[in-house]
Amino acid sequence: MRLRHRPSGPEIDDTAPVTSRKQVVFQGEPGAFSEEAVLAFFGDSAGDGEAAPERTAVPIWRAVFEMVADGTADRGVIAIESSLAGSIRETYDLLAEFFDAGIRIVGEVSVPVRLALLALPGQDIGSIERVYSHAQALAQADEFLRSRDWQVLTTHNTAGAARMIADRRERGAAAIASPRVADLYGLQVIAADVQSGDENRTRFAILAREGDADGAASAIERAAGPRRTTLVFAVRNVPGSLHRCLGAFAARGVNLSRLESRPARRARWEYVFWVDVDADAAEPACAAALDELRAETEMVRILGSYPRAAEE
């Protein structure tokens, strides 16, 4: 069964100009880090006189892809990598699954992760017995969580954990979430900065339909500066194949900032490789490397070339 999640609200005027307000969909609840990524990327205006996008929250990652693919939303925002916990594999699998539906990456943003322990007013840290949050956030706060004998329970997202506690008025429970969620749901911060380390960030990708990636691109998606290309390829099962694939980039001085293998799903013990290239696919050196890569592989799919995120 295919799940579909559509926003509620007024009907969209199909005659509106291209500068009309865009719809951006993200996974989670208001206050989730995905919403912070929307705000960090698009800001208060999409640029060129465009209005700030309308934000819509959906409960699962797949719904983000579906809404962008069928045109319900103009853009989607998905988390793809944590500097502490690594790649978010579900979203990479969905990127591969929705490639034929025309989903492409048109931008990225890096969001600092600050986590706090939130609970109902009047609670203190000594009264907490249960802690809820998304698995990624729990992993990022593991050192703090191991300091006490708490029952740790997973939820679909960080803000959702906070909202659940608020809705239930659940005492003895706390959520690991962004501190800004506290005001949204009437909770209080009982422990701040519970994440491990001060350099924890999550990288988010901005999604669009292939036909919209250029013609309807916002000013920030067209921004000048260093570019990145994300691609996936499958090597032939012969000696030295991966070495030759990577050598196509090394020989031309094109840097690969990330390389990761994932099961191919078409046969047992076969893998595809996900790569981030620090260049635009159209740049001569990168384009030549991609031509050589295609000659060596069984499959190459370019998920998008886009401006690299600035690290503050």
Side-chain angles (χ1 to χ4, degrees), residues 203-224:
R203 180 179 162 218
F204 291 83
I206 314 303
L207 305 180
R209 294 179 300 280
E210 187 171 25
D212 293 343
D214 296 320
S218 67
I220 195 166
E221 292 163 3
R222 298 190 301 266

Side-chain angles (χ1 to χ4, degrees), residues 61-62 65 78-81 87-101 103 105 207 230 232 258 260-266 270-274 299 301 303:
W61 294 116
R62 178 174 292 276
F65 286 81
I78 58 163
I80 58 175
E81 186 178 13
S87 298
I88 300 171
R89 297 193 168 190
E90 179 184 354
T91 55
Y92 278 100
D93 289 341
L94 288 166
L95 281 167
E97 180 182 339
F98 279 82
F99 178 85
D100 290 337
I103 297 298
I105 301 174
L207 305 180
T230 296
V232 59
R258 192 179 66 86
E260 182 174 346
S261 64
R262 293 283 292 134
R265 293 190 171 186
R266 62 191 177 192
E270 290 189 6
Y271 295 86
V272 296
F273 293 88
W274 286 86
M299 174 273 289
R301 292 177 172 177
L303 273 294

